Amino acid sequence: MNAKRKNIADRVKIFDTTLRDGEQCPGASMGLREKLEVARQLARLKVDIIEAGFPIASPGDFEAVHAVAREVKGPIIAGLARCLEKDIERAAEAVAPAGTRGRIHVFLATSAIHRQFKLRKAKEEIVKQAVAGVTMARQHVKDVQFSPEDASRTEPEFLADVCQAVIEAGATTVNIPDTVGYAVPEQFGDLIAYLRDNVPGIDNVTIHVHCHNDLGLAVANSLAAVRNGARGIECTINGLGERAGNCSLEEVVMAMRTRNDFYGLQTGVETREIFRASRLVSQLTGMVVQRNKAVVGANAFAHESGIHQDGMLKHSTTYEIMQPEDVGISGTELVLGKHSGRHAFTNHLHKLGFRLSATESAAAYDAFIALADKKKTIYDDDLVAIVQQQMTEPPPVYTLDYLHVSTGSDTVPTATVRLQKQDEVLQDAACGDGPVDAALKTIDRICGIQGKLLDFSLQSITQGKDALGEVSLRVEFGRRVVNGKASSTDIVEAAARAYLNCVNRHLVDQNDPAPTPKTRRARPKTTKRSTRKKRS
Ligand code: KIV
Ligand code: ZN
């Protein structure tokens, strides 16, 4: 046991930054409605702090932080700001509705590389600006967090000087980011120990860590940090985030819980909400969770080999270190059938934690009945997919009325599509390279637009040949990239509905100001992934 831990509490705070750093993940941007849904789920998950966005970045970011601060009860709500007056004032205004639960998170890069090439500032100027930022933020809120960006590549002595200065200026949390995912566990743990030994006053503030996953070490680095006295971990659902992402909340929380014998640390997370949070974020961002992802992947609790299955039947601990129920996976439960009434349906949704408006509930019920006609067994996961589709759908401009596709090895794939636009019924047909291409081209013809498909992925939601197939798309319309998803037992129909979802979002968004471009390097090339399901 690490001697340095003796004087500090065993409670590790979980700071979720899915809505800020997670949203910086290329292709993962969310609208206001989606952000609020995620924030509500994070509150059910009982994270300690929600970083809801970067208010100065765009009016949309500001609105999101403001709405989360106003509507989500429980966790502290943080807004990010550079050490600049305009950023800090905007962040203060955004978190104000949270009252004493409002936090301003100011950051400034400290490493030599950033000082020289990005900021062109000397060390003294950095300290001065960091102190000014924290002092300014303290004039608005009591809870101020400071992050020396690129801390892991900063000279440790200078990092200690900066930390000391911001603590003296009133920072209540000091966050040590491994901004570029350069750290390795032993060294990162040592850095935290070094700061605890060399920064006067550091024991009076909370040390957080914020690790990126460029080398796949974000969770390991965060764990090394808490072994050495950090008491806050910044992380995201499904490890979403810039480039290779951030420390994954589900992995780091379950590591501390499962290996409590080693770490002796607690979080306040309601782990049974983890799976739903993972599905929700995946659904709303269009970022598919890989099947073999730890804790929340579809295979995380699946046992394929005979030896393992035999062991599992004798005693689950033979091959399972966590119970699926611990993270809220109950996918094998048969919940409702086609004879279930509206009341039973709504009650069940309540049990699953969903609050729908009357219109959404009615639409979800109709979708459920339509599915129950096609599929014998309906699982909780099927319901979650249906409901999330209703909740994320913008008021549709076009709805799919009819789809017919003819395809085969010797046939030119052709689609006939009928769409409804208010009282108008519009119909057309087109050929394509395959049935999906034909359906999408026909939709383009009817709507008079041209979307460019950047990403296509298909996942089955539950088991069985009649499982719902969920199609996630990323589509470019001019300068705007839109994510969309839809599920159906027929994957061509799922693709057409997902595409129509993108078209509708695009048409609704067109009236909004264009999103502020974030500094992102273009991906070298877009991946086009397609998994075939038997029923195609
Ligand atoms: O990665 C990083 O350094 C950040 C800071 C703003 C904390 O996201
Ligand atoms: Zn980050």
Side-chain angles (χ1 to χ4, degrees), residues 15 17 20-21 24 51 54 80-81 105-108 145-151 175-181 210-212 234 242-243 246:
F15 177 111
T17 181
R20 201 276 299 167
D21 219 331
Q24 285 172 225
E51 184 164 55
F54 188 5
L80 184 68
H105 174 192
V106 282
F107 75 101
L108 181 65
Q145 167 169 334
F146 177 80
S147 291
E149 193 189 5
D150 206 16
N175 174 42
I176 306 302
D178 179 27
T179 303
V180 290
H210 175 111
C211 298
H212 279 269
E234 305 205 350
E242 280 272 7
R243 305 180 311 279
N246 288 58

PDB file of all heavy atoms in Angstrom, residues 15 17 20-21 24 51 54 80-81 105-108 145-151 175-181 210-212 234 242-243 246, ligand 1:
ATOM      1  N   PHE A  15     -15.305  12.951 -12.535  1.00  0.00           N
ATOM      2  CA  PHE A  15     -15.571  14.162 -13.305  1.00  0.00           C
ATOM      3  C   PHE A  15     -15.831  13.699 -14.735  1.00  0.00           C
ATOM      4  O   PHE A  15     -14.919  13.203 -15.401  1.00  0.00           O
ATOM      5  CB  PHE A  15     -14.332  15.048 -13.211  1.00  0.00           C
ATOM      6  CG  PHE A  15     -14.339  16.342 -13.989  1.00  0.00           C
ATOM      7  CD1 PHE A  15     -14.385  17.565 -13.345  1.00  0.00           C
ATOM      8  CD2 PHE A  15     -14.207  16.341 -15.364  1.00  0.00           C
ATOM      9  CE1 PHE A  15     -14.319  18.766 -14.052  1.00  0.00           C
ATOM     10  CE2 PHE A  15     -14.152  17.529 -16.085  1.00  0.00           C
ATOM     11  CZ  PHE A  15     -14.212  18.748 -15.416  1.00  0.00           C
ATOM     12  N   THR A  17     -16.509  14.263 -18.582  1.00  0.00           N
ATOM     13  CA  THR A  17     -16.356  15.310 -19.597  1.00  0.00           C
ATOM     14  C   THR A  17     -16.851  14.843 -20.985  1.00  0.00           C
ATOM     15  O   THR A  17     -16.417  15.341 -22.028  1.00  0.00           O
ATOM     16  CB  THR A  17     -14.919  15.879 -19.613  1.00  0.00           C
ATOM     17  OG1 THR A  17     -14.831  16.913 -20.590  1.00  0.00           O
ATOM     18  CG2 THR A  17     -13.865  14.825 -19.909  1.00  0.00           C
ATOM     19  N   ARG A  20     -18.018  17.664 -23.075  1.00  0.00           N
ATOM     20  CA  ARG A  20     -17.039  18.665 -23.506  1.00  0.00           C
ATOM     21  C   ARG A  20     -15.918  17.984 -24.297  1.00  0.00           C
ATOM     22  O   ARG A  20     -15.900  18.055 -25.517  1.00  0.00           O
ATOM     23  CB  ARG A  20     -16.505  19.424 -22.267  1.00  0.00           C
ATOM     24  CG  ARG A  20     -15.895  20.767 -22.597  1.00  0.00           C
ATOM     25  CD  ARG A  20     -14.458  20.692 -23.024  1.00  0.00           C
ATOM     26  NE  ARG A  20     -13.592  20.141 -21.989  1.00  0.00           N
ATOM     27  CZ  ARG A  20     -12.343  19.754 -22.231  1.00  0.00           C
ATOM     28  NH1 ARG A  20     -11.835  19.855 -23.438  1.00  0.00           N
ATOM     29  NH2 ARG A  20     -11.603  19.241 -21.264  1.00  0.00           N
ATOM     30  N   ASP A  21     -15.021  17.264 -23.630  1.00  0.00           N
ATOM     31  CA  ASP A  21     -13.930  16.622 -24.364  1.00  0.00           C
ATOM     32  C   ASP A  21     -14.490  15.507 -25.248  1.00  0.00           C
ATOM     33  O   ASP A  21     -14.055  15.329 -26.391  1.00  0.00           O
ATOM     34  CB  ASP A  21     -12.905  16.039 -23.385  1.00  0.00           C
ATOM     35  CG  ASP A  21     -11.485  16.237 -23.869  1.00  0.00           C
ATOM     36  OD1 ASP A  21     -11.286  16.284 -25.084  1.00  0.00           O
ATOM     37  OD2 ASP A  21     -10.574  16.331 -23.030  1.00  0.00           O
ATOM     38  N   GLN A  24     -15.673  16.623 -28.423  1.00  0.00           N
ATOM     39  CA  GLN A  24     -14.637  17.055 -29.368  1.00  0.00           C
ATOM     40  C   GLN A  24     -14.173  15.895 -30.256  1.00  0.00           C
ATOM     41  O   GLN A  24     -13.331  16.065 -31.119  1.00  0.00           O
ATOM     42  CB  GLN A  24     -13.440  17.633 -28.592  1.00  0.00           C
ATOM     43  CG  GLN A  24     -13.735  19.015 -28.047  1.00  0.00           C
ATOM     44  CD  GLN A  24     -12.658  19.541 -27.117  1.00  0.00           C
ATOM     45  OE1 GLN A  24     -12.953  20.081 -26.061  1.00  0.00           O
ATOM     46  NE2 GLN A  24     -11.407  19.370 -27.496  1.00  0.00           N
ATOM     47  N   GLU A  51     -18.812  18.104 -16.745  1.00  0.00           N
ATOM     48  CA  GLU A  51     -18.309  19.237 -17.531  1.00  0.00           C
ATOM     49  C   GLU A  51     -19.212  19.329 -18.764  1.00  0.00           C
ATOM     50  O   GLU A  51     -19.166  18.468 -19.649  1.00  0.00           O
ATOM     51  CB  GLU A  51     -16.853  19.041 -17.950  1.00  0.00           C
ATOM     52  CG  GLU A  51     -16.313  20.273 -18.670  1.00  0.00           C
ATOM     53  CD  GLU A  51     -14.796  20.276 -18.755  1.00  0.00           C
ATOM     54  OE1 GLU A  51     -14.209  19.300 -19.262  1.00  0.00           O
ATOM     55  OE2 GLU A  51     -14.188  21.264 -18.307  1.00  0.00           O
ATOM     56  N   PHE A  54     -17.946  24.096 -23.325  1.00  0.00           N
ATOM     57  CA  PHE A  54     -16.954  25.173 -23.388  1.00  0.00           C
ATOM     58  C   PHE A  54     -17.746  26.409 -23.849  1.00  0.00           C
ATOM     59  O   PHE A  54     -17.869  26.671 -25.056  1.00  0.00           O
ATOM     60  CB  PHE A  54     -15.900  24.739 -24.424  1.00  0.00           C
ATOM     61  CG  PHE A  54     -14.670  25.578 -24.537  1.00  0.00           C
ATOM     62  CD1 PHE A  54     -14.417  26.654 -23.691  1.00  0.00           C
ATOM     63  CD2 PHE A  54     -13.715  25.270 -25.513  1.00  0.00           C
ATOM     64  CE1 PHE A  54     -13.267  27.411 -23.822  1.00  0.00           C
ATOM     65  CE2 PHE A  54     -12.558  26.022 -25.656  1.00  0.00           C
ATOM     66  CZ  PHE A  54     -12.349  27.096 -24.804  1.00  0.00           C
ATOM     67  N   LEU A  80     -15.934  25.120 -19.197  1.00  0.00           N
ATOM     68  CA  LEU A  80     -14.509  25.322 -19.476  1.00  0.00           C
ATOM     69  C   LEU A  80     -14.237  26.748 -19.967  1.00  0.00           C
ATOM     70  O   LEU A  80     -15.082  27.347 -20.639  1.00  0.00           O
ATOM     71  CB  LEU A  80     -14.060  24.312 -20.534  1.00  0.00           C
ATOM     72  CG  LEU A  80     -12.578  24.293 -20.889  1.00  0.00           C
ATOM     73  CD1 LEU A  80     -11.738  23.780 -19.722  1.00  0.00           C
ATOM     74  CD2 LEU A  80     -12.306  23.418 -22.114  1.00  0.00           C
ATOM     75  N   ALA A  81     -13.069  27.267 -19.622  1.00  0.00           N
ATOM     76  CA  ALA A  81     -12.687  28.614 -20.077  1.00  0.00           C
ATOM     77  C   ALA A  81     -11.163  28.691 -20.214  1.00  0.00           C
ATOM     78  O   ALA A  81     -10.450  28.092 -19.408  1.00  0.00           O
ATOM     79  CB  ALA A  81     -13.150  29.654 -19.055  1.00  0.00           C
ATOM     80  N   HIS A 105     -13.836  25.995 -14.908  1.00  0.00           N
ATOM     81  CA  HIS A 105     -12.614  25.220 -15.139  1.00  0.00           C
ATOM     82  C   HIS A 105     -11.732  26.018 -16.101  1.00  0.00           C
ATOM     83  O   HIS A 105     -12.046  26.099 -17.283  1.00  0.00           O
ATOM     84  CB  HIS A 105     -13.010  23.852 -15.728  1.00  0.00           C
ATOM     85  CG  HIS A 105     -11.849  23.009 -16.154  1.00  0.00           C
ATOM     86  ND1 HIS A 105     -11.996  21.876 -16.919  1.00  0.00           N
ATOM     87  CD2 HIS A 105     -10.521  23.122 -15.918  1.00  0.00           C
ATOM     88  CE1 HIS A 105     -10.809  21.332 -17.149  1.00  0.00           C
ATOM     89  NE2 HIS A 105      -9.896  22.081 -16.567  1.00  0.00           N
ATOM     90  N   VAL A 106     -10.681  26.638 -15.550  1.00  0.00           N
ATOM     91  CA  VAL A 106      -9.794  27.419 -16.423  1.00  0.00           C
ATOM     92  C   VAL A 106      -8.556  26.612 -16.769  1.00  0.00           C
ATOM     93  O   VAL A 106      -8.066  25.826 -15.970  1.00  0.00           O
ATOM     94  CB  VAL A 106      -9.370  28.772 -15.794  1.00  0.00           C
ATOM     95  CG1 VAL A 106     -10.466  29.804 -15.902  1.00  0.00           C
ATOM     96  CG2 VAL A 106      -8.917  28.623 -14.368  1.00  0.00           C
ATOM     97  N   PHE A 107      -8.075  26.812 -17.977  1.00  0.00           N
ATOM     98  CA  PHE A 107      -6.872  26.066 -18.368  1.00  0.00           C
ATOM     99  C   PHE A 107      -5.912  26.950 -19.148  1.00  0.00           C
ATOM    100  O   PHE A 107      -6.314  27.934 -19.776  1.00  0.00           O
ATOM    101  CB  PHE A 107      -7.249  24.818 -19.192  1.00  0.00           C
ATOM    102  CG  PHE A 107      -7.676  25.100 -20.611  1.00  0.00           C
ATOM    103  CD1 PHE A 107      -6.786  24.910 -21.673  1.00  0.00           C
ATOM    104  CD2 PHE A 107      -8.957  25.546 -20.888  1.00  0.00           C
ATOM    105  CE1 PHE A 107      -7.183  25.148 -22.994  1.00  0.00           C
ATOM    106  CE2 PHE A 107      -9.364  25.799 -22.196  1.00  0.00           C
ATOM    107  CZ  PHE A 107      -8.478  25.595 -23.246  1.00  0.00           C
ATOM    108  N   LEU A 108      -4.644  26.579 -19.069  1.00  0.00           N
ATOM    109  CA  LEU A 108      -3.587  27.275 -19.807  1.00  0.00           C
ATOM    110  C   LEU A 108      -2.432  26.301 -19.987  1.00  0.00           C
ATOM    111  O   LEU A 108      -2.036  25.616 -19.037  1.00  0.00           O
ATOM    112  CB  LEU A 108      -3.116  28.500 -19.004  1.00  0.00           C
ATOM    113  CG  LEU A 108      -2.035  29.350 -19.655  1.00  0.00           C
ATOM    114  CD1 LEU A 108      -2.536  30.017 -20.949  1.00  0.00           C
ATOM    115  CD2 LEU A 108      -1.559  30.438 -18.688  1.00  0.00           C
ATOM    116  N   GLN A 145     -11.474  25.331 -10.867  1.00  0.00           N
ATOM    117  CA  GLN A 145     -10.506  24.281 -11.205  1.00  0.00           C
ATOM    118  C   GLN A 145      -9.498  24.858 -12.188  1.00  0.00           C
ATOM    119  O   GLN A 145      -9.874  25.556 -13.127  1.00  0.00           O
ATOM    120  CB  GLN A 145     -11.267  23.112 -11.824  1.00  0.00           C
ATOM    121  CG  GLN A 145     -10.378  22.096 -12.502  1.00  0.00           C
ATOM    122  CD  GLN A 145     -11.127  20.819 -12.860  1.00  0.00           C
ATOM    123  OE1 GLN A 145     -12.120  20.469 -12.235  1.00  0.00           O
ATOM    124  NE2 GLN A 145     -10.635  20.118 -13.858  1.00  0.00           N
ATOM    125  N   PHE A 146      -8.233  24.519 -11.976  1.00  0.00           N
ATOM    126  CA  PHE A 146      -7.218  24.959 -12.941  1.00  0.00           C
ATOM    127  C   PHE A 146      -6.532  23.744 -13.561  1.00  0.00           C
ATOM    128  O   PHE A 146      -6.168  22.802 -12.858  1.00  0.00           O
ATOM    129  CB  PHE A 146      -6.160  25.850 -12.283  1.00  0.00           C
ATOM    130  CG  PHE A 146      -5.091  26.245 -13.268  1.00  0.00           C
ATOM    131  CD1 PHE A 146      -5.310  27.273 -14.180  1.00  0.00           C
ATOM    132  CD2 PHE A 146      -3.886  25.543 -13.333  1.00  0.00           C
ATOM    133  CE1 PHE A 146      -4.357  27.598 -15.147  1.00  0.00           C
ATOM    134  CE2 PHE A 146      -2.918  25.872 -14.290  1.00  0.00           C
ATOM    135  CZ  PHE A 146      -3.161  26.903 -15.192  1.00  0.00           C
ATOM    136  N   SER A 147      -6.337  23.796 -14.888  1.00  0.00           N
ATOM    137  CA  SER A 147      -5.611  22.727 -15.584  1.00  0.00           C
ATOM    138  C   SER A 147      -4.415  23.290 -16.327  1.00  0.00           C
ATOM    139  O   SER A 147      -4.585  24.108 -17.244  1.00  0.00           O
ATOM    140  CB  SER A 147      -6.515  22.054 -16.627  1.00  0.00           C
ATOM    141  OG  SER A 147      -7.526  21.331 -16.018  1.00  0.00           O
ATOM    142  N   PRO A 148      -3.200  22.863 -15.958  1.00  0.00           N
ATOM    143  CA  PRO A 148      -2.027  23.216 -16.774  1.00  0.00           C
ATOM    144  C   PRO A 148      -1.991  22.266 -17.970  1.00  0.00           C
ATOM    145  O   PRO A 148      -1.564  21.115 -17.849  1.00  0.00           O
ATOM    146  CB  PRO A 148      -0.852  22.958 -15.817  1.00  0.00           C
ATOM    147  CG  PRO A 148      -1.391  22.019 -14.762  1.00  0.00           C
ATOM    148  CD  PRO A 148      -2.874  22.071 -14.769  1.00  0.00           C
ATOM    149  N   GLU A 149      -2.469  22.743 -19.100  1.00  0.00           N
ATOM    150  CA  GLU A 149      -2.576  21.869 -20.276  1.00  0.00           C
ATOM    151  C   GLU A 149      -1.196  21.322 -20.644  1.00  0.00           C
ATOM    152  O   GLU A 149      -0.188  22.013 -20.523  1.00  0.00           O
ATOM    153  CB  GLU A 149      -3.160  22.680 -21.442  1.00  0.00           C
ATOM    154  CG  GLU A 149      -3.595  21.829 -22.600  1.00  0.00           C
ATOM    155  CD  GLU A 149      -3.956  22.666 -23.831  1.00  0.00           C
ATOM    156  OE1 GLU A 149      -3.770  23.898 -23.812  1.00  0.00           O
ATOM    157  OE2 GLU A 149      -4.399  22.067 -24.824  1.00  0.00           O
ATOM    158  N   ASP A 150      -1.177  20.080 -21.072  1.00  0.00           N
ATOM    159  CA  ASP A 150       0.066  19.378 -21.436  1.00  0.00           C
ATOM    160  C   ASP A 150       0.992  19.232 -20.230  1.00  0.00           C
ATOM    161  O   ASP A 150       2.226  19.254 -20.357  1.00  0.00           O
ATOM    162  CB  ASP A 150       0.775  20.094 -22.595  1.00  0.00           C
ATOM    163  CG  ASP A 150       1.655  19.137 -23.412  1.00  0.00           C
ATOM    164  OD1 ASP A 150       1.493  17.910 -23.289  1.00  0.00           O
ATOM    165  OD2 ASP A 150       2.515  19.637 -24.164  1.00  0.00           O
ATOM    166  N   ALA A 151       0.382  19.042 -19.064  1.00  0.00           N
ATOM    167  CA  ALA A 151       1.154  18.942 -17.813  1.00  0.00           C
ATOM    168  C   ALA A 151       2.197  17.836 -17.868  1.00  0.00           C
ATOM    169  O   ALA A 151       3.325  17.998 -17.375  1.00  0.00           O
ATOM    170  CB  ALA A 151       0.197  18.691 -16.646  1.00  0.00           C
ATOM    171  N   ASN A 175      -6.033  20.157 -11.762  1.00  0.00           N
ATOM    172  CA  ASN A 175      -6.172  18.993 -12.642  1.00  0.00           C
ATOM    173  C   ASN A 175      -4.892  18.824 -13.456  1.00  0.00           C
ATOM    174  O   ASN A 175      -4.405  19.783 -14.052  1.00  0.00           O
ATOM    175  CB  ASN A 175      -7.373  19.229 -13.558  1.00  0.00           C
ATOM    176  CG  ASN A 175      -7.510  18.145 -14.604  1.00  0.00           C
ATOM    177  OD1 ASN A 175      -7.338  16.970 -14.299  1.00  0.00           O
ATOM    178  ND2 ASN A 175      -7.827  18.529 -15.830  1.00  0.00           N
ATOM    179  N   ILE A 176      -4.350  17.616 -13.463  1.00  0.00           N
ATOM    180  CA  ILE A 176      -3.093  17.376 -14.194  1.00  0.00           C
ATOM    181  C   ILE A 176      -3.418  16.602 -15.472  1.00  0.00           C
ATOM    182  O   ILE A 176      -3.628  15.385 -15.443  1.00  0.00           O
ATOM    183  CB  ILE A 176      -2.100  16.573 -13.300  1.00  0.00           C
ATOM    184  CG1 ILE A 176      -1.906  17.283 -11.947  1.00  0.00           C
ATOM    185  CG2 ILE A 176      -0.764  16.365 -14.001  1.00  0.00           C
ATOM    186  CD1 ILE A 176      -1.381  18.729 -12.049  1.00  0.00           C
ATOM    187  N   PRO A 177      -3.464  17.297 -16.608  1.00  0.00           N
ATOM    188  CA  PRO A 177      -3.828  16.602 -17.851  1.00  0.00           C
ATOM    189  C   PRO A 177      -2.621  15.970 -18.555  1.00  0.00           C
ATOM    190  O   PRO A 177      -1.545  16.558 -18.611  1.00  0.00           O
ATOM    191  CB  PRO A 177      -4.412  17.704 -18.739  1.00  0.00           C
ATOM    192  CG  PRO A 177      -4.379  18.963 -17.941  1.00  0.00           C
ATOM    193  CD  PRO A 177      -3.416  18.759 -16.827  1.00  0.00           C
ATOM    194  N   ASP A 178      -2.870  14.779 -19.057  1.00  0.00           N
ATOM    195  CA  ASP A 178      -1.936  14.171 -20.000  1.00  0.00           C
ATOM    196  C   ASP A 178      -2.582  14.416 -21.363  1.00  0.00           C
ATOM    197  O   ASP A 178      -3.182  13.529 -21.963  1.00  0.00           O
ATOM    198  CB  ASP A 178      -1.783  12.675 -19.698  1.00  0.00           C
ATOM    199  CG  ASP A 178      -0.837  11.994 -20.679  1.00  0.00           C
ATOM    200  OD1 ASP A 178       0.052  12.681 -21.216  1.00  0.00           O
ATOM    201  OD2 ASP A 178      -1.007  10.777 -20.922  1.00  0.00           O
ATOM    202  N   THR A 179      -2.444  15.649 -21.807  1.00  0.00           N
ATOM    203  CA  THR A 179      -3.198  16.154 -22.951  1.00  0.00           C
ATOM    204  C   THR A 179      -3.006  15.340 -24.227  1.00  0.00           C
ATOM    205  O   THR A 179      -3.949  15.140 -24.986  1.00  0.00           O
ATOM    206  CB  THR A 179      -2.791  17.625 -23.201  1.00  0.00           C
ATOM    207  OG1 THR A 179      -3.040  18.328 -21.993  1.00  0.00           O
ATOM    208  CG2 THR A 179      -3.546  18.267 -24.340  1.00  0.00           C
ATOM    209  N   VAL A 180      -1.785  14.890 -24.460  1.00  0.00           N
ATOM    210  CA  VAL A 180      -1.523  14.189 -25.715  1.00  0.00           C
ATOM    211  C   VAL A 180      -1.330  12.681 -25.519  1.00  0.00           C
ATOM    212  O   VAL A 180      -0.859  11.988 -26.413  1.00  0.00           O
ATOM    213  CB  VAL A 180      -0.312  14.806 -26.453  1.00  0.00           C
ATOM    214  CG1 VAL A 180      -0.665  16.184 -26.988  1.00  0.00           C
ATOM    215  CG2 VAL A 180       0.901  14.885 -25.534  1.00  0.00           C
ATOM    216  N   GLY A 181      -1.690  12.198 -24.347  1.00  0.00           N
ATOM    217  CA  GLY A 181      -1.610  10.754 -24.093  1.00  0.00           C
ATOM    218  C   GLY A 181      -0.188  10.227 -24.154  1.00  0.00           C
ATOM    219  O   GLY A 181       0.063   9.121 -24.624  1.00  0.00           O
ATOM    220  N   HIS A 210      -6.454  13.925 -15.898  1.00  0.00           N
ATOM    221  CA  HIS A 210      -7.248  13.964 -17.127  1.00  0.00           C
ATOM    222  C   HIS A 210      -6.380  13.317 -18.200  1.00  0.00           C
ATOM    223  O   HIS A 210      -5.466  13.947 -18.737  1.00  0.00           O
ATOM    224  CB  HIS A 210      -7.536  15.446 -17.436  1.00  0.00           C
ATOM    225  CG  HIS A 210      -8.228  15.696 -18.723  1.00  0.00           C
ATOM    226  ND1 HIS A 210      -9.521  16.148 -18.797  1.00  0.00           N
ATOM    227  CD2 HIS A 210      -7.799  15.590 -20.012  1.00  0.00           C
ATOM    228  CE1 HIS A 210      -9.867  16.315 -20.047  1.00  0.00           C
ATOM    229  NE2 HIS A 210      -8.840  15.988 -20.811  1.00  0.00           N
ATOM    230  N   CYS A 211      -6.610  12.026 -18.460  1.00  0.00           N
ATOM    231  CA  CYS A 211      -5.682  11.300 -19.333  1.00  0.00           C
ATOM    232  C   CYS A 211      -6.302  10.978 -20.682  1.00  0.00           C
ATOM    233  O   CYS A 211      -7.433  10.504 -20.758  1.00  0.00           O
ATOM    234  CB  CYS A 211      -5.270   9.999 -18.653  1.00  0.00           C
ATOM    235  SG  CYS A 211      -4.406  10.315 -17.100  1.00  0.00           S
ATOM    236  N   HIS A 212      -5.518  11.213 -21.712  1.00  0.00           N
ATOM    237  CA  HIS A 212      -5.947  10.844 -23.065  1.00  0.00           C
ATOM    238  C   HIS A 212      -5.349   9.490 -23.434  1.00  0.00           C
ATOM    239  O   HIS A 212      -4.386   9.025 -22.833  1.00  0.00           O
ATOM    240  CB  HIS A 212      -5.569  11.947 -24.058  1.00  0.00           C
ATOM    241  CG  HIS A 212      -6.587  13.070 -24.026  1.00  0.00           C
ATOM    242  ND1 HIS A 212      -7.680  13.079 -24.846  1.00  0.00           N
ATOM    243  CD2 HIS A 212      -6.691  14.166 -23.239  1.00  0.00           C
ATOM    244  CE1 HIS A 212      -8.418  14.154 -24.586  1.00  0.00           C
ATOM    245  NE2 HIS A 212      -7.834  14.832 -23.607  1.00  0.00           N
ATOM    246  N   GLU A 234     -10.892  12.406 -14.444  1.00  0.00           N
ATOM    247  CA  GLU A 234     -11.699  12.987 -15.519  1.00  0.00           C
ATOM    248  C   GLU A 234     -11.806  11.938 -16.621  1.00  0.00           C
ATOM    249  O   GLU A 234     -10.795  11.374 -17.070  1.00  0.00           O
ATOM    250  CB  GLU A 234     -11.052  14.274 -16.019  1.00  0.00           C
ATOM    251  CG  GLU A 234     -10.850  15.222 -14.837  1.00  0.00           C
ATOM    252  CD  GLU A 234     -10.796  16.687 -15.200  1.00  0.00           C
ATOM    253  OE1 GLU A 234     -10.728  17.020 -16.404  1.00  0.00           O
ATOM    254  OE2 GLU A 234     -10.805  17.501 -14.275  1.00  0.00           O
ATOM    255  N   GLU A 242     -11.193  13.612 -27.784  1.00  0.00           N
ATOM    256  CA  GLU A 242     -10.260  14.033 -28.835  1.00  0.00           C
ATOM    257  C   GLU A 242      -9.393  12.860 -29.291  1.00  0.00           C
ATOM    258  O   GLU A 242      -8.929  12.066 -28.469  1.00  0.00           O
ATOM    259  CB  GLU A 242      -9.298  15.100 -28.271  1.00  0.00           C
ATOM    260  CG  GLU A 242      -9.850  16.480 -28.197  1.00  0.00           C
ATOM    261  CD  GLU A 242      -9.637  17.289 -29.477  1.00  0.00           C
ATOM    262  OE1 GLU A 242      -9.160  16.751 -30.499  1.00  0.00           O
ATOM    263  OE2 GLU A 242      -9.967  18.469 -29.454  1.00  0.00           O
ATOM    264  N   ARG A 243      -9.141  12.767 -30.545  1.00  0.00           N
ATOM    265  CA  ARG A 243      -8.285  11.725 -31.141  1.00  0.00           C
ATOM    266  C   ARG A 243      -8.683  10.315 -30.680  1.00  0.00           C
ATOM    267  O   ARG A 243      -9.786   9.878 -30.929  1.00  0.00           O
ATOM    268  CB  ARG A 243      -6.811  12.017 -30.834  1.00  0.00           C
ATOM    269  CG  ARG A 243      -6.343  13.413 -31.262  1.00  0.00           C
ATOM    270  CD  ARG A 243      -4.878  13.615 -30.928  1.00  0.00           C
ATOM    271  NE  ARG A 243      -4.556  13.252 -29.571  1.00  0.00           N
ATOM    272  CZ  ARG A 243      -4.765  14.033 -28.511  1.00  0.00           C
ATOM    273  NH1 ARG A 243      -5.238  15.253 -28.670  1.00  0.00           N
ATOM    274  NH2 ARG A 243      -4.479  13.613 -27.298  1.00  0.00           N
ATOM    275  N   ASN A 246     -10.589   9.740 -24.317  1.00  0.00           N
ATOM    276  CA  ASN A 246     -10.211  10.018 -22.932  1.00  0.00           C
ATOM    277  C   ASN A 246     -10.283   8.713 -22.132  1.00  0.00           C
ATOM    278  O   ASN A 246     -10.729   7.696 -22.640  1.00  0.00           O
ATOM    279  CB  ASN A 246     -11.203  11.013 -22.311  1.00  0.00           C
ATOM    280  CG  ASN A 246     -11.031  12.410 -22.847  1.00  0.00           C
ATOM    281  OD1 ASN A 246     -11.126  12.641 -24.033  1.00  0.00           O
ATOM    282  ND2 ASN A 246     -10.763  13.360 -21.978  1.00  0.00           N
TER     283      ASN A 246
HETATM  284  O1  KIV B   1      -6.646  17.427 -22.601  1.00  0.00           O
HETATM  285  C1  KIV B   1      -6.601  18.515 -22.008  1.00  0.00           C
HETATM  286  O2  KIV B   1      -5.548  19.039 -21.646  1.00  0.00           O
HETATM  287  C2  KIV B   1      -7.864  19.192 -21.749  1.00  0.00           C
HETATM  288  C3  KIV B   1      -7.821  20.358 -20.816  1.00  0.00           C
HETATM  289  C4  KIV B   1      -8.724  21.442 -21.240  1.00  0.00           C
HETATM  290  C5  KIV B   1      -8.111  19.879 -19.428  1.00  0.00           C
HETATM  291  O3  KIV B   1      -8.894  18.752 -22.200  1.00  0.00           O
END
